Amino acid sequence: MMSCENSIKLCGLLLVLALFSCKRPANEQLQSETEVAKEDTTAFSLDSFTEFPEEVMGCSCYFGLDSAAFAQGQYEFVSDFGETAFVSINGEITKFTRVSREEVDSVTTKSRYENLDFWLSIQLIDGRALDYEVSRMTGKMTLGNKSGKEISVDLFGVCGC
């Protein structure tokens, strides 16, 4: 026969085993936390900014969403009229390097920019010249990440020196 003390020890052991058997396996918990982290990295926003990055001096292109935003100095895209462009992603100015440029016709150009996390496609249509060195332009910009999420916006702005 079991003593009362041994019965209490056995009940305590069974209680501990029952409690720990309800816990999820560690690898399942880790996998679910990893999936949440992956979801967070795919979400992004395209934001306006008001100040040009220091790297943009002299000749440049800068665009807002429309003429009103442009007039208020709210920019979505700024480039140095060369190889470097900037947009604001999740509130941070993000740098891109141009990887291709194509003249579609006499007034339309397409450019593609990339960095480690995102790509940027710009299609610009040359509008009327505002003076000898500056032209008004309109276009479309698409920002995408490596996970396949994309945001597209219309652009209104100028390019010139």
Side-chain angles (χ1 to χ4, degrees):
M1 262 184 124
M2 252 203 270
S3 70
C4 185
E5 187 177 313
N6 286 341
S7 295
I8 292 174
K9 287 180 182 178
L10 182 61
C11 285
L13 179 64
L14 290 173
L15 180 62
V16 168
L17 287 173
L19 288 174
F20 284 106
S21 68
C22 293
K23 188 175 178 184
R24 281 193 304 188
N27 63 348
E28 189 178 306
Q29 186 174 5
L30 182 61
Q31 180 182 8
S32 125
E33 290 170 358
T34 303
E35 287 172 7
V36 170
K38 284 181 183 176
E39 288 175 18
D40 291 343
T41 60
T42 62
F44 64 91
S45 65
L46 181 61
D47 308 304
S48 297
F49 55 99
T50 57
E51 295 184 23
F52 284 21
E54 291 179 11
E55 292 151 286
V56 178
M57 300 176 81
C59 297
S60 60
C61 294
Y62 46 104
F63 295 87
L65 292 176
D66 54 33
S67 61
F70 181 81
Q72 292 175 358
Q74 297 290 317
Y75 306 113
E76 300 296 317
F77 172 84
V78 174
S79 77
D80 66 357
F81 210 69
E83 302 299 316
T84 307
F86 298 88
V87 297
S88 178
I89 302 171
N90 297 332
E92 291 189 35
I93 302 295
T94 305
K95 184 178 179 177
F96 289 81
T97 302
R98 187 169 70 196
V99 294
S100 68
R101 183 175 188 279
E102 170 191 1
E103 289 189 24
V104 177
D105 57 38
S106 63
V107 295
T108 308
T109 59
K110 285 184 180 180
S111 296
R112 183 171 173 98
Y113 297 83
E114 295 179 356
N115 66 21
L116 292 176
D117 300 313
F118 296 92
W119 57 266
L120 189 60
S121 174
I122 306 287
Q123 180 170 333
L124 297 176
I125 300 168
D126 197 353
R128 66 182 177 98
L130 299 176
D131 67 28
Y132 177 71
E133 294 184 331
V134 179
S135 291
R136 172 154 297 141
M137 302 180 123
T138 58
K140 185 172 191 104
M141 175 174 71
T142 302
L143 173 66
N145 66 9
K146 306 294 183 188
S147 300
K149 182 175 181 204
E150 296 180 4
I151 298 174
S152 293
V153 296
D154 292 328
L155 295 175
F156 175 92
V158 298
C159 287
C161 296

